[in-house]
Amino acid sequence: MRTVIPSDVVGECRARISPFVLIEEVEQRLRRIVDRCLGIEHVRAFIAQRNKKKACLAEDASSLTLGNYPYLLRDPATWKHAGLPLDQNYFTGALE
């Protein structure tokens, strides 16, 4: 039987938490891109379109969930404004 030492616990915690930290980083970067390149009116229009029954009072891209970004960025005009130097289909597919 092996003795568990603090570095074992730290390594296990890091292995379990790292994917969530990376997802949070991706989401924060997408929010910054949307806020900087698209603006609140674009975000409001998108959310209102997706939530047909509810009015949108969004203040910024933080009203979007990670699942909203593929739908938002599939629109060719939105993709152009975002200015990402990537293949649109690949990027939105990876987000899904």
Side-chain angles (χ1 to χ4, degrees), residues 5-87:
I5 58 175
S7 64
D8 294 331
V9 174
V10 169
E12 184 64 26
C13 286
R14 182 175 292 132
R16 291 177 183 255
I17 293 171
S18 290
F20 298 102
V21 172
L22 291 173
I23 290 170
E24 177 65 23
E25 178 66 23
V26 167
E27 191 168 16
Q28 287 178 7
R29 288 180 185 216
L30 286 170
R31 283 181 180 158
R32 284 193 298 266
I33 290 167
V34 168
D35 281 337
R36 185 186 61 223
C37 300
L38 302 177
I40 188 60
E41 291 306 319
H42 194 92
V43 172
R44 285 181 181 154
F46 172 76
I47 293 172
Q49 179 183 6
R50 298 270 304 156
N51 302 331
K52 295 184 184 349
K53 296 179 183 176
K54 299 178 188 175
C56 178
L57 303 174
E59 299 282 328
D60 55 28
S62 66
S63 299
L64 297 172
T65 64
L66 189 57
N68 291 138
Y69 289 102
Y71 297 107
L72 177 66
L73 294 171
R74 266 196 212 116
D75 175 56
T78 300
W79 182 258
K80 183 179 177 184
H81 287 315
L84 297 172
L86 305 164
D87 178 71

